[in-house]
Each structure stands twice: as C-alpha cells, then as structure tokens.
Amino acid sequence: MDFWRERAKIAVMRTLSVSVLVFCCFLAGCGSSTAQLSPAPVPPVSLTIADDIPIGAVRMGRVQGVVCVKELFARTPSHDAALNQLKQNAVNMGASGISDVKYNTLGFTTSPYCAQSVRATAVAFRR
C-alpha cells in the first residue's frame, strides 16, 4: 500500500513540475520585446517595382522579406516593413527591380521566435 502511495506522490510531483515549467516558459515569452528577424533598412531608390517583368530583363528568381513581432497580442507588422525588407534582399542579390509582389500574414507556427509575421514575396529581375 505504501508503495502505491509513493508512486502516486511521484506522479503528482512530476505533473506539477512540468506544469510549472510550461507556465514559466509562457511568462518568459509574454515578457519579451518586439523584434524583427532582420533589420529593415531603407531601400535604395534605384529599385523598380513593376507589374510584370519588362521585356529584355533577366529573371533572377523569387525573393522574400519577412518581419515579425514576438508578442502574441502585439500589432501585426506592416506590409511596408515587409516590402522594405524584400527590396533590400532584392538589391543584395543584384536585382534592379521586382515584380508580382504578394503579401502573406503568417501566424506563430512559422517560426519559434515570431508570434505574428508578414511575408512579402516577389520575382526579382535585372535589366
């Protein structure tokens, strides 16, 4: 009989320990500050945004920009911030323009460090 009481006490202590650990992790996530995955510097003026890839331009591939916030109840990042990140990434790969810009608002399942994020994707090209 004492054996089963001891086993029950151990099971309760393990459950309580895991519950406290999960609660502490939740509190640590709520207390963090707003952050971006990558800084969104001001993009250069020379980048062209077009509806379609111009005739004679070389398609370089897809490019994306993602901005996020860590807090669950924080304001969703703006499309402008994601577009600025996208423009900077396009310039970094040597593009002179982008076309077919699309935005996606993503939930906290996309990254372990983001509660909410916005992703901008486009096709990069060079003239």
Side-chain angles (χ1 to χ4, degrees):
M1 186 102 161
D2 288 331
F3 173 76
W4 293 111
R5 283 187 187 166
E6 289 299 316
R7 298 281 289 176
K9 285 181 185 179
I10 291 172
V12 168
M13 291 301 291
R14 285 183 181 163
T15 303
L16 183 61
S17 298
V18 169
S19 299
V20 169
L21 180 64
V22 168
F23 182 73
C24 289
C25 290
F26 177 75
L27 286 180
C30 290
S32 59
S33 63
T34 301
Q36 295 180 335
L37 284 176
S38 311
V42 177
V45 181
S46 62
L47 189 70
T48 304
I49 299 176
D51 292 333
D52 292 317
I53 297 175
I55 295 174
V58 177
R59 179 186 168 121
M60 300 180 70
R62 296 206 63 79
V63 63
Q64 72 175 358
V66 179
V67 291
C68 74
V69 292
K70 287 184 178 182
E71 293 91 10
L72 185 59
F73 300 108
R75 180 181 290 172
T76 304
S78 70
H79 285 191
D80 290 336
L83 181 62
N84 287 342
Q85 183 67 40
L86 173 108
K87 287 179 180 179
Q88 187 62 47
N89 292 342
V91 167
N92 290 347
M93 69 187 295
S96 62
I98 55 174
S99 67
D100 193 29
V101 179
K102 295 181 181 168
Y103 300 95
N104 293 347
T105 302
L106 308 168
F108 53 82
T109 59
T110 60
S111 171
Y113 303 110
C114 288
Q116 297 182 41
S117 59
V118 173
R119 177 179 21 198
T121 59
V123 177
F125 63 86
R126 179 186 295 163
R127 292 183 190 223

